[in-house]
C-alpha cells in the first residue's frame, strides 16, 4: 500500500477455523466484525476458495465472484484502499476474472488483491483429472474419461509439465503437393489423423519453430492443414521487402518431430482423444496416476483488465498471487503456428489477402506491414492505467504470461517470477498498432510510461521457443530495468519485430512507428538461445526513435538520439547457439548502447541491415563488435571508448560495478536464490594456483555469506557481487579445475562436478584470430556448444582428462563439435592410473556419427583418460583440426559422473 498506512476496508479471505480465530481477535477492536457490509463502515469481508453466498462473513465466507461484487459496492464509499485478501488454496475459475473501470480504485486509492499473510493462493484455470484406469498394461497406458468440452494443449502432473505424445517420424516422409508422401501406409492406421501435429524446429529461419496439423491421410499421402501449410511453405514476398523475406520452409524439410499422436506415446507423455473424450497417460516408473494431482488447463484467460480510452481500468494491484493452468487453443486450429518471429505468426488465407503487407502486395493486404497475429497472454490488460502487478508467480501457462496494450499507461510490473510458460514472459504493445491511426484511434492509444523491473524470467517458451523474456512492440517512455532473464530458448529482451524488414539505409522510412524515449537498463541476460538461434540477448528491430529535424530541415542528431532507445548497464553472456548478442537488426535506428558488458557469446554486437544512427560507446566486450554482414551499409555508426576484454574474462577484467548492479536489486534477489547454487564457469580454470589467485565464479543462487572452496581448500576471501557472480581468492596450492559454492540452500561443485585435477591437450587453435574460446576445459563444461579445437597441424591430436583420484568407468562418450558435416572417423581412448603406462581401452575407425560411445565389459579403473583424434573430416574432406565438444564419463550402472 505504497509504504504508508491508510484507512482501509479489508476483504479478508480466510478458511474455517483460522477465520474464526481472526474474527475473535478483531471483535475487541471492531465489535461489528460479523456484520455484513454497511456503506461507510469499517467492516471485514471474508472470502475463501470454497466460499459461497453473499453474506461474506467470517462464519460464512463468500467466493471470489461475490468478493468482486462487494468491491464494486464499496468503490467510492470508503476513504481508503480496498484490500481483498485471499486465503490459502486453489481458486478454480470457471471463467476469467474480469476487471473493468467498475473494479478500479478511487482517486488516490487502490483496490489491492493480495494473500492473507502466509497464504499462497493460486488462481487456476485447470480441471483435475481423476478416475484413471489401466488401458494397456503391456505399454503402461492409463486412461480417464473427460467431458466433451475439455480441450487443452497441456497437462501437468504434480506441478510438472508433462510432454504431449511425441517422437521422430517413424516412417520416412518426402514432400509432395500439399503435404508429404510416406514410405508406407503406416500413418493411415493412426487414430484421429487430423489431430497429428508436425513441428519444424528452425524451419522458417533459425529463430522459428512452426507447427501445422495434418488435414487427412489417404494411404501414403498426407495432406497438411490449410491455411497453415501455405503460410509455412509459401509466404508473402512483397517486392519492396527484397531480399529480406521471411523464409519459406525448405523444399526438402521434414518435421523435426511429430506430436499429438497416440501411437507415439512414451513414458511420461499424454494424449487427448477429442473424438472419444478420453485422456491417455503413461506414468513414469509405472506410478498410479490416481495418486497424483493431474491438471488439464481449460481456460485461455485467467485474468483480464478491459478498460476503454475514455474509462480505463485503473488503480488495481495484484500482489503475491499465483496464476496457473491456462491454455491457448489457436495453434490446434487451421491456422496452426506459422511463426514469423518472436511468436508472431501468419494467419488467414494469404492468397486472398496477404496479412501484414499493407499496400506492398497485390491485392493489398492488412495494414500495417508486419501486423501478423500476436499470441495472447493468459493474464492481459487493455486500456489500463496505474495498475501494479507485483510479487506474483506466473507458471504452468499455455500462452504468454502477461500483456499490457492499447493505451495502457503508468503501469508497473515488478518483482514477479515467470517460468514454465509456453510462450513469451511479458509483452507490451500490439503488433498491429505502430501508429494509433492505423486502427482508428488517437494518441491516447499509445502505451506510455510503463515499467517492467526486478522480475525473474526463466524457462519460458516451453512450447513456442521463439519466445522472448520481455517483448516490446510499440511503446514510449518504457523502462525495462533490473530484470534477470535466464535459460530461455530464444532472445532475452526484444523491441520491435518484423515491421523493420522494409527499411534499410537506402530507404529508411518506408514504415515508421511511435517508439520513443525507451530505456533498457541494468538487466542480466544469460544462457539464452537454448533452442533457437540468430537473435540477441537484447535485440532491437525497426525504428527505435523517429528522425527529428531542425527548422532548416536537417537532421537534429542529438535530439533524435536523446529521444531514441537507450540500452545501458546490461550484462549479457552465454549465447548457447548463435546471434549478434547486442543486436541492431533490419531498419533499426537511433539507439545508444553504453556501459553494457558481454562475454562468452559468438559475436558481441552487430546487425543485419540496420538503417544506422547507432552509438556503441563505453561498452565492455569479449567478442567481436560492429559485425554487419548484410547490405546495404548502415549510416552513422559511432563506435568509441569500448573496452576489449579477454575471451574468458577474469575478476580483474570485468567492470565489477556494472556486474554487481545488473539484474535483480537486493530486495528482489530472493527470487533467484531459493534453489541450491550452481557453478557454471570458473576463471581462471587450470591446475594448481602458484600464488593467491582471484577467481571469477559465474553461476546462480549465490547469496551473501556464500562459502567457496577448491577441492577442500577454502577461499581466503569471498566477494559476492550478485546472485550470479562471485570473486573468491584461492590460496596458493589450490586446484582451480573445479570450485564448490555453499549457501543455506545447498552446495554445488562445478562446473562439471567431476573429481577433476586438470585437462590438457597437445595444442589449441588460434583463439585471437577466431575470436572464440578453444580451451581444453571446454570438453568438461556441460555445454555442447563450446568445444576444444586443436591447432590445424597434422593428425593425430590428443586431449587428456585427469582426476584427483582413480574412478571406475563403465563407459566414455566422446562428442564432436556440433557442426553439420563434421565427423571424426578415427578415435582412440587410453586409460591409466597411478602413473602406470596408458592402456588402449577403445578404438574406432570409419566412424560417421558425431558421438562415439566406448563401453567397457569390465570396469576401467583410471585417474587419467586420453582421447586421441586420429582423423577428422568436414563434408567428406580431411581436416587437421580436432574439434571435441564434450567428453562424458559413466559408471558401470550407466550413471553419468558429475552433473
Amino acid at each position: 500500500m505504497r509504504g504508508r498506512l491508510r484507512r482501509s476496508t479489508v476483504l479478508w479471505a480466510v478458511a474455517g477455523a483460522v477465520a474464526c480465530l481472526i474474527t475473535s481477535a478483531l471483535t475487541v477492536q471492531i465489535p461489528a466484525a460479523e456484520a455484513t457490509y454497511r456503506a461507510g463502515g469499517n467492516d471485514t469481508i471474508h472470502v475463501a476458495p470454497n466460499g459461497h453466498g453473499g453474506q461474506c462473513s467470517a462464519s460464512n465466507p463468500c467466493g471470489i465472484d461475490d468478493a468482486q461484487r462487494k468491491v464494486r459496492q464499496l468503490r467510492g464509499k470508503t476513504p481508503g484502499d480496498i484490500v481483498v485478501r485471499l486465503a490459502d488454496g486453489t481458486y478454480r475459475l470457471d471463467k476469467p476474472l474480469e476487471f473493468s473501470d467498475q473494479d478500479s480504485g478511487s482517486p488516490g486509492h487502490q483496490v489491492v488483491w493480495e494473500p492473507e499473510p502466509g497464504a499462497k493462493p493460486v488462481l487456476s484455470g485447470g480441471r483435475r483429472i481423476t478416475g484413471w484406469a489401466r488401458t494397456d498394461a503391456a505399454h503402461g497406458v492409463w486412461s480417464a474419461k473427460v467431458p466433451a468440452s475439455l480441450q487443452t494443449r497441456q497437462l501437468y502432473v504434480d506441478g510438472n509439465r508433462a510432454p504431449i505424445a511425441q517422437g521422430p517420424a517413424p516412417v520416412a516422409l518426402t514432400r509432395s503437393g500439399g503435404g508429404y508422401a510416406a514410405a508406407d501406409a503406416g500413418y493411415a492406421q493412426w487414430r484421429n489423423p487430423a489431430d497429428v501435429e508436425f513441428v519444424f524446429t528452425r524451419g522458417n529461419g533459425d529463430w522459428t519453430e512452426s507447427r501445422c496439423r495434418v488435414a487427412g491421410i489417404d494411404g501414403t499421402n498426407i495432406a497438411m492443414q490449410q491455411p497453415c501449410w501455405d503460410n509455412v511453405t509459401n509466404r508473402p514476398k512483397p517486392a519492396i521487402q527484397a531480399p529480406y523475406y521471411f523464409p519459406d520452409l525448405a523444399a526438402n524439410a521434414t518435421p523435426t518431430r511429430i506430436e499429438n499422436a497416440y501411437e507415439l506415446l512414451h513414458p511420461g507423455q499424454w494424449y487427448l482423444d477429442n473424438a472419444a473424450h478420453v485422456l491417455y497417460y503413461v506414468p513414469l516408473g509405472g506410478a498410479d496416476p490416481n495418486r497424483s494431482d493431474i491438471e488439464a488447463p481449460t481456460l485461455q484467460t485467467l485474468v483480464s483488465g478491459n478498460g476503454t480510452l475514455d474509462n480505463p481500468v485503473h488503480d488495481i494491484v495484484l500482489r503475491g498471487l499465483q496464476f496457473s493452468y491456462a491454455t491457448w487453443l489457436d495453434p490446434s486450429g487451421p491456422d496452426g503456428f506459422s511463426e514469423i518471429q518472436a511468436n508472431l505468426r501468419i494467419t488467414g488465407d494469404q492468397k486472398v489477402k496477404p496479412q501484414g503487407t499493407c499496400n506492398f502486395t497485390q491485392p493489398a493486404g492488412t495494414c500495417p506491414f508486419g501486423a501478423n497475429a500476436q499470441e495472447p497472454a493468459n493474464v492481459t490488460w487493455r486500456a489500463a492505467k496505474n495498475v501494479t502487478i507485483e510479487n506474483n508467480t506466473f507458471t504452468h501457462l499455455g500462452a504468454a504470461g502477461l500483456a499490457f496494450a492499447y493505451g495502457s499507461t503508468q503501469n508497473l510490473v515488478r518483482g514477479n517470477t515467470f517460468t514454465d510458460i509456453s510462450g513469451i514472459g511479458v509483452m507490451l504493445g500490439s503488433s498491429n498498432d505502430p501508429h494509433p491511426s492505423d486502427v482508428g484511434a488517437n494518441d491516447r492509444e499509445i502505451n506510455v510510461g510503463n515499467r517492467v523491473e526486478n522480475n525473474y524470467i526463466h524457462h519460458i517458451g516451453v512450447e513456442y521457443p521463439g519466445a522472448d523474456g520481455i517483448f516490446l512492440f510499440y511503446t514510449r517512455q518504457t523502462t525495462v530495468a533490473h530484470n534477470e532473464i535466464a535459460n530461455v530458448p530464444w532472445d532475452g529482451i526484444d523491441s520491435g519485430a518484423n515491421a523493420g524488414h522494409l527499411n534499410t539505409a537506402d530507404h529508411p522510412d518506408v514504415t515508421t512507428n511511435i517508439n520513443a524515449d525507451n530505456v533498457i537498463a541494468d538487466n542480466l541476460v544469460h544462457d539464452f538461445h537454448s533452442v533457437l538461434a540468430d537473435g540477441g540477448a537484447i535485440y532491437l528491430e525497426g525504428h527505435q526513435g523517429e528522425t527529428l529535424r531542425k527548422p532548416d530541415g536537417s537532421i537534429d542528431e542529438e535530439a533524435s538520439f536523446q529521444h531514441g532507445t537507450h540500452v545501458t548497464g546490461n550484462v549479457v553472456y552465454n549465447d548457447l547457439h548463435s546471434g549478434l548478442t547486442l543486436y541492431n537488426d533490419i531498419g533499426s535506428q537511433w539507439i545508444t548502447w553504453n556501459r553494457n558488458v558481454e562475454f562468452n557469446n559468438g559475436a558481441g554486437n552487430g546487425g543485419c541491415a540496420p538503417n544506422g544512427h547507432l552509438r556503441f560507446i563505453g561498452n565492455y566486450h569479449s567478442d567481436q563488435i560492429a559485425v554487419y554482414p548484410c547490405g546495404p551499409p548502415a549510416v552513422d555508426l559511432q563506435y568509441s571508448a569500448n573496452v576489449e576484454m579477454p575471451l574468458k574474462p577474469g575478476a580483474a577484467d570485468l567492470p565489477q560495478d556494472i556486474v554487481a548492479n545488473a539484474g535483480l536489486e537486493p530486495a528482489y534477489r530472493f527470487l533467484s536464490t531459493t534453489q541450491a547454487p550452481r557453478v557454471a564457469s570458473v576463471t581462471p580454470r587450470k591446475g594448481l594456483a602458484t600464488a593467491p589467485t582471484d577467481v571469477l565464479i559465474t553461476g546462480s543462487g549465490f547469496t551473501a555469506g556464500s562459502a567457496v572452496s577448491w577441492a577442500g581448500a577454502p577461499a581466503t576471501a569471498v566477494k559476492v557481487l550478485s546472485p550470479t557472480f562471485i570473486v573468491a581468492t584461492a590460496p596458493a596450492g589450490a586446484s582451480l579445475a573445479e570450485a564448490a559454492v555453499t549457501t543455506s540452500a545447498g552446495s554445488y561443485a562445478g562446473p562439471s562436478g567431476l573429481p577433476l585435477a586438470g585437462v590438457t591437450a597437445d595444442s589449441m587453435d588460434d583463439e585471437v584470430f577466431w575470436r572464440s574460446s578453444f580451451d581444453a576445459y571446454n570438453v568438461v563444461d556441460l555445454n555442447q556448444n563450446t568445444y576444444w579445437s586443436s591447432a590445424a597441424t597434422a593428425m593425430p591430436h590428443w586431449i587428456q582428462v585427469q582426476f584427483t583420484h582413480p574412478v571406475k568407468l563403465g563407459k566414455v562418450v566422446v562428442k564432436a563439435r556440433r557442426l553439420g558435416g563434421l565427423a571424426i572417423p578415427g578415435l582412440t581412448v587410453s586409460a591409466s592410473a597411478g602413473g602406470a603406462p596408458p592402456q588402449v581401452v577403445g578404438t574406432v575407425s570409419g566412424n560417421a556419427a558425431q558421438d562415439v560411445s566406448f563401453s567397457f565389459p569390465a570396469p576401467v579403473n583410471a585417474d587419467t583418460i586420453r582421447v586421441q583424434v586420429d582423423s577428422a573430416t568436414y563434408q567428406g574432406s580431411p581436416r587437421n583440426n580436432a574439434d571435441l565438444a564434450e567428453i562424458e564419463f559413466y559408471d558401470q550402472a550407466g550413471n553419468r559422473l558429475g552433473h
Side-chain angles (χ1 to χ4, degrees):
M1 289 176 279
R2 297 186 177 177
R4 62 183 185 273
L5 296 175
R6 290 177 173 169
R7 294 181 61 195
S8 302
T9 299
V10 182
L11 283 66
W12 296 86
V14 292
V18 175
C20 295
L21 290 172
I22 292 176
T23 302
S24 299
L26 290 176
T27 53
V28 176
Q29 302 176 38
I30 307 173
E34 284 286 330
T36 56
Y37 166 73
R38 297 191 308 275
N42 197 21
D43 304 285
T44 300
I45 298 173
H46 303 265
V47 185
N50 60 351
H52 59 278
Q55 187 175 353
C56 299
S57 65
S59 58
N60 190 12
C62 61
I64 202 166
D65 290 342
D66 288 320
Q68 186 177 24
R69 283 190 285 271
K70 288 295 183 181
V71 169
R72 293 182 175 185
Q73 293 174 18
L74 288 167
R75 185 172 178 263
K77 300 175 183 177
T78 181
D81 292 347
I82 301 173
V83 180
V84 181
R85 286 185 176 159
L86 305 180
D88 202 30
T90 298
Y91 293 76
R92 295 189 179 274
L93 306 177
D94 56 10
K95 66 182 187 304
L97 177 58
E98 297 180 345
F99 295 110
S100 70
D101 175 47
Q102 297 302 309
D103 303 287
S104 301
S106 56
H109 300 291
Q110 300 169 311
V111 175
V112 181
W113 293 70
E114 66 181 15
E116 174 70 15
K120 297 180 180 179
V122 178
L123 299 185
S124 170
R127 181 188 182 100
R128 187 169 186 179
I129 308 300
T130 59
W132 294 92
R134 274 195 183 90
T135 301
D136 182 347
H139 296 93
V141 180
W142 294 65
S143 67
K145 292 289 292 183
V146 297
S149 60
L150 190 145
Q151 297 183 63
T152 190
R153 290 181 60 91
Q154 297 84 31
L155 191 75
Y156 297 86
V157 180
D158 294 327
N160 297 304
R161 182 182 293 237
I164 200 168
Q166 59 186 268
V171 176
L173 298 167
T174 304
R175 278 278 291 277
S176 63
Y180 288 94
D184 63 38
Y187 293 112
Q189 307 306 313
W190 285 11
R191 67 174 71 184
N192 303 323
D195 288 340
V196 175
E197 191 164 287
F198 284 12
V199 182
F200 302 92
T201 305
R202 302 191 183 185
N204 292 104
D206 281 348
W207 56 93
T208 67
E209 185 176 272
S210 291
R211 298 165 167 267
C212 284
R213 291 207 162 181
V214 169
I217 304 175
D218 183 9
T220 61
N221 296 318
I222 300 175
M224 300 301 294
Q225 185 71 262
Q226 295 288 8
C228 182
W229 189 239
D230 280 351
N231 293 342
V232 166
T233 60
N234 187 21
R235 298 184 153 189
K237 299 174 181 65
I240 198 169
Q241 192 182 0
Y244 300 115
Y245 302 120
F246 292 108
D248 293 336
L249 186 70
N252 62 348
T254 54
T256 313
R257 64 184 180 277
I258 299 176
E259 294 188 357
N260 203 38
Y262 176 87
E263 290 73 14
L264 296 178
L265 269 173
H266 288 81
Q269 298 181 357
W270 63 279
Y271 171 78
L272 175 59
D273 188 329
N274 284 300
H277 315 306
V278 175
L279 183 64
Y280 295 92
Y281 173 53
V282 182
L284 290 170
D288 183 349
N290 291 297
R291 298 181 179 179
S292 293
D293 176 20
I294 299 180
E295 301 281 345
T298 56
L299 289 186
Q300 298 187 75
T301 302
L302 294 175
V303 175
S304 66
N306 293 300
T308 67
L309 297 181
D310 291 328
N311 296 293
V313 56
H314 62 92
D315 295 292
I316 293 176
V317 178
L318 302 185
R319 178 187 295 132
L321 309 176
Q322 178 173 318
F323 304 98
S324 291
Y325 304 122
T327 190
W328 176 38
L329 299 175
D330 274 7
S332 299
D335 284 320
F337 194 83
S338 174
E339 187 171 19
I340 284 284
Q341 181 183 13
N343 286 4
L344 293 171
R345 61 195 177 111
I346 303 176
T347 57
D349 188 345
Q350 305 305 294
K351 296 175 183 176
V352 176
K353 192 173 186 181
Q355 183 184 60
T357 56
C358 199
N359 60 337
F360 305 123
T361 59
Q362 294 296 329
T366 303
C367 284
F369 181 82
N372 298 108
Q374 181 177 347
E375 73 174 338
N378 295 133
V379 177
T380 185
W381 298 82
R382 289 174 57 84
K385 183 176 182 180
N386 294 329
V387 169
T388 297
I389 309 296
E390 184 175 43
N391 296 348
N392 303 287
T393 298
F394 294 77
T395 188
H396 311 329
L397 299 176
L402 173 68
F404 281 88
Y406 187 73
S408 290
T409 63
Q410 308 301 322
N411 301 295
L412 175 63
V413 180
R414 180 174 63 192
N416 305 282
T417 295
F418 296 83
T419 188
D420 188 27
I421 294 172
S422 290
I424 292 169
V426 182
M427 294 189 296
L428 293 180
S430 302
S431 64
N432 67 345
D433 201 7
H435 292 284
S437 60
D438 292 324
V439 288
N442 56 32
D443 286 349
R444 292 183 301 160
E445 191 176 334
I446 298 173
N447 302 287
V448 179
N450 298 296
R451 299 180 63 86
V452 181
E453 59 185 38
N454 282 297
N455 300 285
Y456 182 35
I457 303 172
H458 63 103
H459 298 96
I460 50 86
V462 178
E463 190 173 356
Y464 312 107
D468 305 297
I470 299 171
F471 193 15
L472 311 180
F473 285 100
Y474 307 106
T475 69
R476 286 184 178 169
Q477 299 171 27
T478 300
T479 299
V480 177
H482 286 291
N483 302 282
E484 181 175 352
I485 302 174
N487 299 294
V488 292
W490 194 50
D491 286 3
I493 301 169
D494 282 12
S495 177
N498 71 339
H501 273 65
L502 298 180
N503 300 324
T504 58
D506 54 5
H507 44 77
D509 296 308
V510 176
T511 62
T512 60
N513 60 58
I514 52 83
N515 283 337
D517 299 297
N518 295 323
V519 174
I520 301 172
D522 307 317
N523 300 283
L524 177 66
V525 182
H526 61 95
D527 298 287
F528 57 101
H529 292 167
S530 63
V531 178
L532 304 179
D534 193 359
I538 300 174
Y539 170 99
L540 309 176
E541 182 182 321
H543 291 191
Q544 297 299 312
E546 60 182 309
T547 300
L548 302 176
R549 298 187 179 274
K550 297 177 181 179
D552 64 3
S554 63
I555 294 176
D556 190 333
E557 182 174 278
E558 290 305 316
S560 298
F561 271 116
Q562 179 182 350
H563 291 287
T565 292
H566 294 259
V567 188
T568 179
N570 303 282
V571 175
V572 300
Y573 61 93
N574 284 6
D575 185 340
L576 299 178
H577 278 101
S578 66
L580 294 174
T581 307
L582 303 175
Y583 201 140
N584 309 292
D585 205 3
I586 298 176
S588 59
Q589 65 178 15
W590 304 120
I591 304 169
T592 300
W593 303 86
N594 178 246
R595 286 180 60 77
N596 301 285
V597 178
E598 76 78 28
F599 62 95
N600 201 25
N601 304 301
N605 156 261
C608 183
N611 289 354
H613 306 300
L614 307 171
R615 285 178 174 170
F616 196 84
I617 299 172
N619 300 282
Y620 294 78
H621 67 100
S622 287
D623 305 293
Q624 186 177 358
I625 58 175
V627 179
Y628 293 99
C630 311
V635 301
D636 188 23
L637 299 181
Q638 303 177 30
Y639 281 74
S640 65
N642 298 298
V643 178
E644 184 173 341
M645 303 182 298
L647 283 172
K648 289 185 175 291
D653 304 310
L654 289 176
Q656 293 188 16
D657 59 333
I658 300 177
V659 169
N661 186 54
L664 301 169
E665 293 181 285
Y668 296 92
R669 288 179 175 174
F670 71 93
L671 296 174
S672 66
T673 58
T674 56
Q675 302 283 328
R678 175 177 173 267
V679 175
S681 67
V682 293
T683 308
R685 194 177 187 200
K686 57 183 183 181
L688 298 180
T690 58
T693 304
D694 282 347
V695 177
L696 177 69
I697 303 174
T698 304
S700 61
F702 306 151
T703 59
S706 295
V708 178
S709 62
W710 294 267
T716 58
V718 176
K719 182 179 181 181
V720 179
L721 301 179
S722 75
T724 52
F725 292 99
I726 289 177
V727 175
T729 304
S735 172
L736 303 184
E738 297 276 292
V741 175
T742 301
T743 71
S744 60
S747 184
Y748 190 104
S752 72
L754 294 167
L756 197 64
V759 184
T760 55
D762 71 330
S763 61
M764 188 169 66
D765 204 353
D766 189 342
E767 293 184 320
V768 175
F769 177 81
W770 293 106
R771 294 299 303 159
S772 185
S773 171
F774 302 128
D775 189 89
Y777 279 92
N778 288 347
V779 301
V780 287
D781 65 354
L782 304 183
N783 183 353
Q784 293 187 38
N785 298 299
T786 62
Y787 57 95
W788 163 67
S789 184
S790 73
T793 55
M795 290 288 180
H797 291 292
W798 60 264
I799 186 168
Q800 182 170 283
V801 179
Q802 187 172 3
F803 303 120
T804 57
H805 60 269
V807 296
K808 289 186 177 182
L809 300 174
K811 181 173 66 174
V812 172
V813 178
V814 180
K815 296 191 172 184
R817 175 187 174 188
R818 306 288 100 172
L819 177 65
L822 179 68
I824 300 180
L827 279 172
T828 301
V829 176
S830 302
S832 62
Q839 301 292 319
V840 174
V841 295
T843 184
V844 66
S845 62
N847 170 63
Q850 280 193 319
D851 303 339
V852 184
S853 179
F854 298 91
S855 296
F856 313 128
V860 171
N861 192 55
D863 60 21
T864 303
I865 294 291
R866 175 176 287 203
V867 175
Q868 180 174 290
V869 179
D870 299 312
S871 60
T873 60
Y874 179 64
Q875 295 183 346
S877 298
R879 66 195 303 266
N880 288 324
N881 289 94
D883 291 356
L884 300 184
E886 286 287 297
I887 303 176
E888 300 174 353
F889 304 92
Y890 295 81
D891 64 18
Q892 280 292 105
N895 301 308
R896 186 176 176 182
L897 304 183
H899 297 301

